[in-house]
């Protein structure tokens, strides 16, 4: 069983930066895919960035490439999303999620594989 707790959201002006954190509370150190997703009002949830805790493979959505960076600290069981040059279109609720350990690294970008979700943190860019 894994519990995810996000933090770091807030309100910023366009061009500003935020760093989101996702702490995973688990008794297992099993390697897995985990990532960030976001949902804007009236829109479907979309994948933002993913990482595999084992081989460090990362993927970033084209819409945020060059502005967002995903990173992890395995010792702290924490996933980060550093967001620079934020735009109003980045506004939404950002969720952290993990996939079961049997999901291979090359499937980390498959949204349907993610089964455990955090409560979300609001990011507002004006």
């Amino acid at each position: 069983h894994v519990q995810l707790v996000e933090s770091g959201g807030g309100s910023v002006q366009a061009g500003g930066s935020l760093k989101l954190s996702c702490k995973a509370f688990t008794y297992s150190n099993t390697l897995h895919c985990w990532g960030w997703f976001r949902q804007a009002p009236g829109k479907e949830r979309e994948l933002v960035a993913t990482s595999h805790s084992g081989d460090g493979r990362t993927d970033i959505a084209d819409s945020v490439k060059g502005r967002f960076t995903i990173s992890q600290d395995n010792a702290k069981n924490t996933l980060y999303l550093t967001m620079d040059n934020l735009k109003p279109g980045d506004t939404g609720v950002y969720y952290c999620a993990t996939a079961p350990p049997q999901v291979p690294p090359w499937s980390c970008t498959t949204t349907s594989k993610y089964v455990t979700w955090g409560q979300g943190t609001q990011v507002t860019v004006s």
Side-chain angles (χ1 to χ4, degrees), residues 2 19-20 36-38 68 76 84 96 99 101 110 113 116 118 124:
V2 178
K19 185 175 184 177
L20 306 183
W36 291 97
F37 299 77
R38 68 184 181 186
F68 290 14
K76 296 182 179 180
D84 296 317
C96 175
T110 304
K113 301 294 186 182
T116 301
T124 303

Side-chain angles (χ1 to χ4, degrees), residues 26-97:
T26 176
Y27 291 109
S28 171
N29 290 322
T30 308
L31 306 176
H32 54 242
C33 299
W34 50 349
W36 291 97
F37 299 77
R38 68 184 181 186
Q39 187 166 20
K43 295 187 177 181
E44 293 187 356
R45 186 160 50 192
E46 64 172 338
L47 183 150
V48 175
T50 64
S51 178
H52 191 271
S53 64
D55 66 7
R57 176 184 312 215
T58 62
D59 287 280
I60 304 288
D62 288 342
S63 59
V64 302
K65 197 167 291 184
R67 300 188 297 119
F68 290 14
T69 303
I70 189 170
S71 60
Q72 60 192 28
D73 185 334
N74 287 346
K76 296 182 179 180
N77 268 354
T78 302
L79 183 71
Y80 303 99
L81 185 68
T82 303
M83 305 183 294
D84 296 317
N85 191 21
L86 282 161
K87 303 176 180 180
D90 296 318
T91 294
V93 179
Y94 284 69
Y95 298 91
C96 175

